[in-house]
Amino acid sequence: MAKYKLEYIWLDGYTPLANMRSKTQIKEFASFPKLADLPFWGFDGSSTKQAEGRSSDCVLRPVACFPDSTRKNGVLVMCDVMMPDGKTPHPSNTRATIPDDDGAWFGFEQEYFFFKDGAPLGFPRGGFPEPQGPYYTGVGYKNVGCIAREIVEKHIDICLDAGINLEGINAEVAKGQWEFQIFGKGSRSAADQMWVARYLLARLGETYGVDIEWECKPLRGAFNAPLDWNGSGMHANFSTTHMREKGGKEHFEKLMAAFSKHMDEHIAVYGPDNHLRLTGLHETQSIDKFTYGIADRGSSIRIPHSFVNAGYKGYLEDRRPNSAADPYLVAGRILKTILTVPTT
Ligand code: ADP
Ligand code: MN
Ligand code: MN
Ligand code: MN
């Protein structure tokens, strides 16, 4: 028997952006625990905007678990929040809104900024660096600074150790801005892994005195930048069994008609302040338009060349979700819209 450190991770009730919360419990197991071995747990929902003080208990239900290589016998336990009966999803539980579909695949491209002392990492104190241009996929101290690379490298290793399907990383267009990609099969898997990968990055930043800025346009508004800097997205690449195996131009056009019809419902869950980012500039479409195009990074949905070449089969990229969007809500909305389209 060994004592395992189980880190239960969940989303709180703050709006429009939920925060990640976590706490540790120690339990003894003969070997690395499986999901089914992990008990439900609880927390004080009155401290997380999920309950009133008089009846404050919320229930944590483990939904995915991963090894944590940074801790001896560490386990990362992604949880969703349930009502005290343990059966009813809490109103803040966005995971519960995702339709079941084992054949759905998602790939999320998470962009974010490193922030230190109130500014993006690598920005000179009280000022601005050279305009963007050399930073995207850049190399060298003047382009990426001196700790960002160390943090992203460690993040890769911790994610891979955990068995998270991290597919890559790159430095992004703005200074201090980076991206990582997560892929998963099944309607909830990529989103579960995304939340744990976000958690690991935020936790890693603590050691460096660096925060992860998930907001989609941190260099506008509060920061008052003189030049326009890129915002951060969380492009959602998606496919279903039908899209991959049958597809066809007719089905694709019906899909796009459904996405156009449900445009407002999509934008509603694609992250706060998205009007600051979806301007029609910086490889985005305006927030009030729905368009699609082959290899078109200025459209709402980009159709990869591979999709057309395969006879309208494969995956599509929804470029509208922003970096702060909840991947549970994004995956759920995309699937709900796809389900309105008949597949016969
Ligand atoms: P880009 O930056 O050119 O938009 P990336 O390479 O960063 O593209 O991301 C592409 C994403 O598409 C990856 O996250 C990948 O996992 C995902 N993806 C690839 N094939 C599929 C598929 N069949 N279904 C869903 N997602 C997919
Ligand atoms: Mn990308
Ligand atoms: Mn990118
Ligand atoms: Mn993309």
Side-chain angles (χ1 to χ4, degrees):
M1 297 290 269
K3 292 197 171 183
Y4 284 82
K5 302 178 193 114
L6 313 177
E7 192 71 16
Y8 278 50
I9 304 166
W10 72 97
L11 302 177
D12 69 14
Y14 280 65
T15 55
L17 267 192
N19 303 286
M20 294 173 277
R21 306 273 180 154
S22 79
K23 57 175 184 164
T24 311
Q25 71 173 334
I26 315 289
K27 290 261 177 230
E28 220 166 5
F29 296 100
S31 59
F32 191 85
K34 294 192 193 55
L35 185 60
D37 302 329
L38 300 169
F40 283 32
W41 198 16
F43 66 96
D44 165 18
S46 71
S47 300
T48 60
K49 298 201 199 264
Q50 280 159 311
E52 301 293 332
R54 284 159 192 266
S55 166
S56 64
D57 284 1
C58 290
V59 171
L60 291 172
R61 182 179 69 145
V63 296
C65 66
F66 309 86
D68 184 352
S69 63
T70 68
R71 282 171 121 181
K72 187 183 171 202
N73 293 331
V75 188
L76 300 154
V77 185
M78 190 64 205
C79 297
D80 63 1
V81 178
M82 308 299 280
M83 300 301 281
D85 66 8
K87 294 188 190 111
T88 315
H90 187 271
S92 65
N93 181 342
T94 52
R95 190 180 191 272
T97 67
I98 305 175
D100 289 323
D101 183 352
D102 290 343
W105 297 357
F106 286 96
F108 295 112
E109 301 168 57
Q110 174 73 61
E111 294 174 341
Y112 61 92
F113 279 84
F114 287 122
F115 258 62
K116 191 166 178 69
D117 305 326
L121 192 60
F123 271 43
R125 191 174 287 267
F128 293 89
E130 292 295 305
Q132 48 189 38
Y135 308 126
Y136 170 75
T137 58
V139 64
Y141 171 65
K142 71 176 187 302
N143 292 325
V144 297
C146 67
I147 35 178
R149 185 83 65 187
E150 188 174 323
I151 302 175
V152 301
E153 285 300 318
K154 284 202 177 153
H155 185 239
I156 295 177
D157 285 337
I158 300 169
C159 285
L160 296 183
D161 288 346
I164 288 172
N165 220 333
L166 185 125
E167 293 207 313
I169 59 129
N170 58 272
E172 267 301 337
V173 174
K175 192 163 196 185
Q177 189 187 31
W178 290 76
E179 166 177 322
F180 64 86
Q181 303 104 31
I182 300 275
F183 175 77
K185 294 182 176 179
S187 53
R188 298 176 188 87
S189 170
D192 285 336
Q193 295 181 63
M194 176 55 78
W195 275 117
V196 176
R198 284 181 177 182
Y199 174 87
L200 290 171
L201 186 59
R203 195 183 67 180
L204 191 55
E206 294 167 2
T207 320
Y208 296 89
V210 166
D211 269 308
I212 312 306
E213 178 54 85
W214 307 105
E215 273 178 36
C216 74
K217 200 76 181 181
L219 286 172
R220 262 238 198 128
F223 202 76
N224 204 17
L227 280 176
D228 200 10
W229 291 76
N230 268 41
S232 301
M234 187 186 66
H235 298 164
N237 301 272
F238 61 92
S239 63
T240 58
T241 305
H242 186 86
M243 288 169 67
R244 290 188 304 272
E245 292 177 4
K246 270 228 158 134
K249 196 164 187 199
E250 201 186 318
H251 179 256
F252 167 76
E253 278 167 0
K254 285 187 189 149
L255 259 189
M256 292 302 96
F259 271 78
S260 179
K261 181 175 165 198
H262 295 288
M263 182 178 111
D264 294 346
E265 289 107 306
H266 281 259
I267 292 297
V269 296
Y270 279 2
D273 296 329
N274 221 359
H275 59 287
L276 298 176
R277 166 181 164 261
L278 297 179
T279 55
L281 302 170
H282 307 300
E283 303 179 28
T284 68
Q285 177 53 285
S286 309
I287 194 161
D288 54 357
K289 291 204 184 94
F290 177 80
T291 59
Y292 54 91
I294 299 164
D296 184 357
R297 288 167 193 270
S299 61
S300 318
I301 290 203
R302 177 175 68 89
I303 313 162
H305 280 299
S306 63
F307 188 87
V308 180
N309 294 341
Y312 287 81
K313 270 196 279 199
Y315 74 96
L316 298 168
E317 177 188 46
D318 193 333
R319 301 179 57 79
R320 297 169 296 170
N322 78 34
S323 48
D326 174 352
Y328 290 141
L329 287 173
V330 173
R333 183 61 247 175
I334 288 173
L335 281 180
K336 283 175 202 161
T337 297
I338 294 176
L339 284 171
T340 66
V341 178
T343 51
T344 45

